[in-house]
Amino acid sequence: MPLGLRKKKSKSRESSNLVENEEVGSSAAKPAANGAGLPPPPASLRPRLVFHTQLAHGSPTGRIEGFSNVRELYGKIAEAFNLSAPEILFCTLNTHKIDMEKLLGGQIGLEDFIFAHIKGIKKEVEVLKAEDALGLTITDNGAGYAFIKRIKEGSVADGVKVICVGDHIESINGKNIVGTRHYEVARMLKELPKSQTFKLKLVEPMKAFEMLEPRSRGSKAAGESRLGTGRGTLRLRAKGPATVEEVPTEFEEKAIKKVDDLLESYMGIRDTELASTMVEVGRDKHNPDEFAMALDQALGDFAFPDEFVFDVWGAIGDAKQGRF
């Protein structure tokens, strides 16, 4: 279907990016709560890889294995430290700091060390939306928690010092948004009326006393460092078993970074796994209409604007031609 004539898909089908709604636990066939996704694969199909993990604010080292998606990973970490999985806000790779460049997405390097950031102080703030844009970039943890990945310097959000990179957004104007997709949270914030005050309930990651640092606005360019340090990566998928793959090629790294930048520009989100999926979809397509149809089939929930699709197609083409 040509660009401009694509229909918005119903939200009954989940995309295969970082955020997914599979039921986790039993390997028996069981539909997901929202009717989407597949049951977890049997243990025999999962890579038997062992990873080391710690709580970011300080803990002994735990060992985890046998997970196939982000929800299962959080469950394994929770078991290792006698926590409940919903206590985990997000994970970083190879650093205990709240470093958005090292955020765990859909891939883990085979030699990566996983640090889990758990819920800390809750806070509530009133914000006057003095400009159309708040200056926030939103991402999520793959299990229903949207959080702040970047704060633009000089923006409305930057002027509210209680708002920090890494904060989980729990509610907007009293409406609980736990379980809401990150792009929907970005849309909700964007649609708040200008010149009016709104309330945010936030949960910041727990910090050890010696880790307390000045607030960070987040990195200015996500994706500049590779996701893993090992020779291969474990790719976590929303549907089907996890797979061990080679590290991204130069083409993939450049294309994924550019698409992730476009996601932030158009939608106010960053999601390297979503960007990776879009690059995969466009790798063998021959024209933008074919690419648009494939995106609708794979990621129909997002209803991307036509200009965004054209720009993503162009970015993938530039990467193929080595023009970055």
Short mmCIF file of all heavy atoms in Angstrom, two decimals, residues 252-286:
data_model
loop_
_atom_site.label_atom_id
_atom_site.label_comp_id
_atom_site.label_asym_id
_atom_site.label_seq_id
_atom_site.Cartn_x
_atom_site.Cartn_y
_atom_site.Cartn_z
N GLU A 252 24.98 -1.72 10.33
CA GLU A 252 23.89 -1.80 11.29
C GLU A 252 24.03 -0.74 12.38
O GLU A 252 23.05 -0.10 12.76
CB GLU A 252 23.85 -3.20 11.91
CG GLU A 252 23.40 -4.28 10.93
CD GLU A 252 23.61 -5.67 11.49
OE1 GLU A 252 24.53 -5.87 12.32
OE2 GLU A 252 22.87 -6.58 11.08
N GLU A 253 25.24 -0.57 12.89
CA GLU A 253 25.45 0.41 13.95
C GLU A 253 25.09 1.82 13.49
O GLU A 253 24.41 2.56 14.19
CB GLU A 253 26.90 0.36 14.42
CG GLU A 253 27.23 -0.83 15.31
CD GLU A 253 28.60 -0.70 15.94
OE1 GLU A 253 29.45 0.01 15.36
OE2 GLU A 253 28.81 -1.28 17.00
N LYS A 254 25.56 2.18 12.29
CA LYS A 254 25.29 3.52 11.78
C LYS A 254 23.81 3.71 11.49
O LYS A 254 23.23 4.76 11.82
CB LYS A 254 26.11 3.77 10.53
CG LYS A 254 27.61 3.89 10.79
CD LYS A 254 28.38 4.15 9.51
CE LYS A 254 29.87 4.35 9.77
NZ LYS A 254 30.64 4.58 8.53
N ALA A 255 23.18 2.72 10.88
CA ALA A 255 21.76 2.84 10.55
C ALA A 255 20.90 2.89 11.81
O ALA A 255 19.96 3.69 11.91
CB ALA A 255 21.34 1.67 9.66
N ILE A 256 21.21 2.04 12.79
CA ILE A 256 20.43 2.01 14.03
C ILE A 256 20.54 3.34 14.77
O ILE A 256 19.55 3.88 15.27
CB ILE A 256 20.89 0.84 14.93
CG1 ILE A 256 20.47 -0.50 14.30
CG2 ILE A 256 20.31 0.96 16.33
CD1 ILE A 256 21.11 -1.70 14.95
N LYS A 257 21.74 3.88 14.83
CA LYS A 257 21.92 5.18 15.51
C LYS A 257 21.11 6.27 14.82
O LYS A 257 20.43 7.07 15.47
CB LYS A 257 23.39 5.57 15.55
CG LYS A 257 23.62 6.91 16.23
CD LYS A 257 25.05 7.34 16.14
CE LYS A 257 25.24 8.69 16.84
NZ LYS A 257 24.38 9.75 16.29
N LYS A 258 21.16 6.31 13.48
CA LYS A 258 20.43 7.34 12.75
C LYS A 258 18.92 7.19 12.93
O LYS A 258 18.20 8.18 13.16
CB LYS A 258 20.78 7.27 11.26
CG LYS A 258 20.08 8.33 10.40
CD LYS A 258 20.44 9.74 10.82
CE LYS A 258 19.82 10.76 9.89
NZ LYS A 258 20.11 12.14 10.33
N VAL A 259 18.41 5.96 12.87
CA VAL A 259 16.97 5.73 13.05
C VAL A 259 16.55 6.09 14.47
O VAL A 259 15.48 6.66 14.70
CB VAL A 259 16.61 4.28 12.69
CG1 VAL A 259 15.14 4.00 13.04
CG2 VAL A 259 16.86 4.01 11.21
N ASP A 260 17.41 5.76 15.45
CA ASP A 260 17.10 6.12 16.84
C ASP A 260 17.03 7.63 17.00
O ASP A 260 16.16 8.16 17.70
CB ASP A 260 18.16 5.53 17.77
CG ASP A 260 17.68 5.39 19.20
OD1 ASP A 260 16.45 5.29 19.41
OD2 ASP A 260 18.53 5.38 20.10
N ASP A 261 17.93 8.35 16.33
CA ASP A 261 17.88 9.82 16.35
C ASP A 261 16.57 10.33 15.73
O ASP A 261 15.97 11.29 16.22
CB ASP A 261 19.06 10.41 15.58
CG ASP A 261 20.38 10.22 16.30
OD1 ASP A 261 20.37 9.93 17.51
OD2 ASP A 261 21.45 10.34 15.64
N LEU A 262 16.12 9.69 14.64
CA LEU A 262 14.87 10.09 14.01
C LEU A 262 13.67 9.81 14.92
O LEU A 262 12.72 10.59 14.96
CB LEU A 262 14.71 9.37 12.67
CG LEU A 262 15.65 9.82 11.55
CD1 LEU A 262 15.57 8.86 10.36
CD2 LEU A 262 15.33 11.24 11.11
N LEU A 263 13.71 8.70 15.65
CA LEU A 263 12.64 8.40 16.60
C LEU A 263 12.53 9.51 17.65
O LEU A 263 11.42 9.93 18.00
CB LEU A 263 12.90 7.06 17.29
CG LEU A 263 12.56 5.80 16.50
CD1 LEU A 263 13.12 4.57 17.21
CD2 LEU A 263 11.06 5.66 16.32
N GLU A 264 13.67 9.98 18.13
CA GLU A 264 13.62 11.06 19.12
C GLU A 264 13.09 12.34 18.49
O GLU A 264 12.28 13.05 19.09
CB GLU A 264 15.01 11.30 19.70
CG GLU A 264 15.00 12.41 20.76
CD GLU A 264 16.33 12.58 21.44
OE1 GLU A 264 17.36 12.18 20.86
OE2 GLU A 264 16.35 13.13 22.55
N SER A 265 13.53 12.64 17.28
CA SER A 265 13.12 13.88 16.62
C SER A 265 11.62 13.91 16.34
O SER A 265 10.95 14.92 16.57
CB SER A 265 13.91 14.06 15.32
OG SER A 265 13.47 15.18 14.61
N TYR A 266 11.08 12.78 15.86
CA TYR A 266 9.68 12.75 15.46
C TYR A 266 8.73 12.40 16.60
O TYR A 266 7.60 12.89 16.64
CB TYR A 266 9.47 11.74 14.33
CG TYR A 266 9.80 12.25 12.95
CD1 TYR A 266 11.08 12.15 12.44
CD2 TYR A 266 8.83 12.84 12.15
CE1 TYR A 266 11.39 12.61 11.16
CE2 TYR A 266 9.12 13.32 10.88
CZ TYR A 266 10.42 13.19 10.39
OH TYR A 266 10.72 13.66 9.14
N MET A 267 9.16 11.50 17.51
CA MET A 267 8.23 10.93 18.47
C MET A 267 8.60 11.18 19.93
O MET A 267 7.85 10.83 20.83
CB MET A 267 8.12 9.42 18.24
CG MET A 267 7.67 9.06 16.82
SD MET A 267 7.56 7.28 16.54
CE MET A 267 6.20 6.84 17.62
N GLY A 268 9.78 11.75 20.18
CA GLY A 268 10.19 12.02 21.55
C GLY A 268 10.56 10.77 22.32
O GLY A 268 10.49 10.75 23.56
N ILE A 269 10.98 9.71 21.62
CA ILE A 269 11.39 8.48 22.29
C ILE A 269 12.75 8.05 21.75
O ILE A 269 13.16 8.44 20.66
CB ILE A 269 10.39 7.32 22.09
CG1 ILE A 269 10.31 6.92 20.61
CG2 ILE A 269 9.01 7.70 22.62
CD1 ILE A 269 9.46 5.67 20.35
N ARG A 270 13.46 7.27 22.54
CA ARG A 270 14.65 6.57 22.05
C ARG A 270 14.46 5.10 22.36
O ARG A 270 14.06 4.73 23.46
CB ARG A 270 15.93 7.10 22.68
CG ARG A 270 16.30 8.49 22.24
CD ARG A 270 17.75 8.81 22.53
NE ARG A 270 18.64 8.28 21.51
CZ ARG A 270 19.04 8.95 20.43
NH1 ARG A 270 18.62 10.18 20.23
NH2 ARG A 270 19.85 8.41 19.56
N ASP A 271 14.75 4.24 21.40
CA ASP A 271 14.54 2.81 21.57
C ASP A 271 15.43 2.09 20.55
O ASP A 271 15.06 1.94 19.38
CB ASP A 271 13.07 2.47 21.35
CG ASP A 271 12.74 1.03 21.71
OD1 ASP A 271 13.63 0.18 21.60
OD2 ASP A 271 11.58 0.77 22.10
N THR A 272 16.60 1.67 20.98
CA THR A 272 17.54 1.05 20.04
C THR A 272 17.01 -0.28 19.50
O THR A 272 17.31 -0.64 18.36
CB THR A 272 18.91 0.81 20.69
OG1 THR A 272 18.74 0.07 21.91
CG2 THR A 272 19.59 2.13 21.01
N GLU A 273 16.20 -0.98 20.29
CA GLU A 273 15.65 -2.23 19.80
C GLU A 273 14.61 -1.99 18.71
O GLU A 273 14.56 -2.70 17.72
CB GLU A 273 15.05 -3.04 20.94
CG GLU A 273 14.46 -4.38 20.53
CD GLU A 273 15.49 -5.34 19.95
OE1 GLU A 273 16.70 -5.08 20.04
OE2 GLU A 273 15.07 -6.38 19.40
N LEU A 274 13.78 -0.98 18.88
CA LEU A 274 12.83 -0.60 17.84
C LEU A 274 13.58 -0.16 16.59
O LEU A 274 13.23 -0.54 15.47
CB LEU A 274 11.92 0.52 18.34
CG LEU A 274 10.95 1.13 17.32
CD1 LEU A 274 10.03 0.07 16.72
CD2 LEU A 274 10.15 2.25 17.96
N ALA A 275 14.61 0.66 16.77
CA ALA A 275 15.41 1.11 15.62
C ALA A 275 16.06 -0.08 14.92
O ALA A 275 16.09 -0.14 13.68
CB ALA A 275 16.48 2.09 16.09
N SER A 276 16.55 -1.03 15.69
CA SER A 276 17.16 -2.23 15.11
C SER A 276 16.15 -3.02 14.29
O SER A 276 16.45 -3.51 13.20
CB SER A 276 17.75 -3.10 16.22
OG SER A 276 18.29 -4.30 15.70
N THR A 277 14.93 -3.15 14.81
CA THR A 277 13.88 -3.86 14.09
C THR A 277 13.56 -3.16 12.77
O THR A 277 13.37 -3.81 11.73
CB THR A 277 12.61 -3.97 14.95
OG1 THR A 277 12.91 -4.70 16.14
CG2 THR A 277 11.49 -4.66 14.20
N MET A 278 13.51 -1.84 12.77
CA MET A 278 13.20 -1.09 11.56
C MET A 278 14.31 -1.26 10.52
O MET A 278 14.04 -1.38 9.32
CB MET A 278 12.98 0.38 11.89
CG MET A 278 11.80 0.62 12.82
SD MET A 278 11.52 2.35 13.21
CE MET A 278 10.77 2.89 11.67
N VAL A 279 15.55 -1.29 10.98
CA VAL A 279 16.67 -1.51 10.04
C VAL A 279 16.57 -2.90 9.43
O VAL A 279 16.79 -3.10 8.23
CB VAL A 279 18.02 -1.30 10.76
CG1 VAL A 279 19.18 -1.74 9.87
CG2 VAL A 279 18.19 0.17 11.14
N GLU A 280 16.23 -3.89 10.26
CA GLU A 280 16.07 -5.25 9.74
C GLU A 280 14.96 -5.30 8.69
O GLU A 280 15.12 -5.95 7.65
CB GLU A 280 15.75 -6.21 10.89
CG GLU A 280 16.92 -6.52 11.80
CD GLU A 280 16.55 -7.49 12.89
OE1 GLU A 280 15.37 -7.94 12.93
OE2 GLU A 280 17.42 -7.83 13.70
N VAL A 281 13.85 -4.63 8.98
CA VAL A 281 12.72 -4.63 8.04
C VAL A 281 13.12 -4.01 6.71
O VAL A 281 12.73 -4.48 5.63
CB VAL A 281 11.52 -3.88 8.65
CG1 VAL A 281 10.44 -3.61 7.60
CG2 VAL A 281 10.92 -4.68 9.81
N GLY A 282 13.92 -2.94 6.75
CA GLY A 282 14.26 -2.22 5.53
C GLY A 282 15.47 -2.73 4.78
O GLY A 282 15.76 -2.26 3.67
N ARG A 283 16.17 -3.70 5.34
CA ARG A 283 17.43 -4.15 4.75
C ARG A 283 17.27 -4.63 3.31
O ARG A 283 18.08 -4.32 2.44
CB ARG A 283 18.02 -5.28 5.60
CG ARG A 283 19.35 -5.80 5.10
CD ARG A 283 19.74 -7.05 5.88
NE ARG A 283 19.90 -6.75 7.29
CZ ARG A 283 21.03 -6.31 7.82
NH1 ARG A 283 22.09 -6.11 7.05
NH2 ARG A 283 21.12 -6.07 9.11
N ASP A 284 16.22 -5.39 3.03
CA ASP A 284 16.08 -5.99 1.70
C ASP A 284 14.94 -5.38 0.89
O ASP A 284 14.51 -5.94 -0.12
CB ASP A 284 15.87 -7.51 1.81
CG ASP A 284 14.63 -7.86 2.62
OD1 ASP A 284 14.05 -6.95 3.25
OD2 ASP A 284 14.25 -9.04 2.61
N LYS A 285 14.43 -4.22 1.33
CA LYS A 285 13.34 -3.58 0.59
C LYS A 285 13.91 -2.69 -0.51
O LYS A 285 15.00 -2.14 -0.39
CB LYS A 285 12.45 -2.76 1.53
CG LYS A 285 11.83 -3.61 2.66
CD LYS A 285 11.00 -4.75 2.10
CE LYS A 285 10.39 -5.61 3.19
NZ LYS A 285 11.37 -6.44 3.91
N HIS A 286 13.14 -2.54 -1.61
CA HIS A 286 13.67 -1.89 -2.81
C HIS A 286 13.14 -0.48 -3.03
O HIS A 286 13.67 0.25 -3.87
CB HIS A 286 13.37 -2.76 -4.04
CG HIS A 286 13.91 -4.14 -3.93
ND1 HIS A 286 15.26 -4.41 -3.94
CD2 HIS A 286 13.28 -5.35 -3.80
CE1 HIS A 286 15.45 -5.73 -3.84
NE2 HIS A 286 14.26 -6.31 -3.73
#
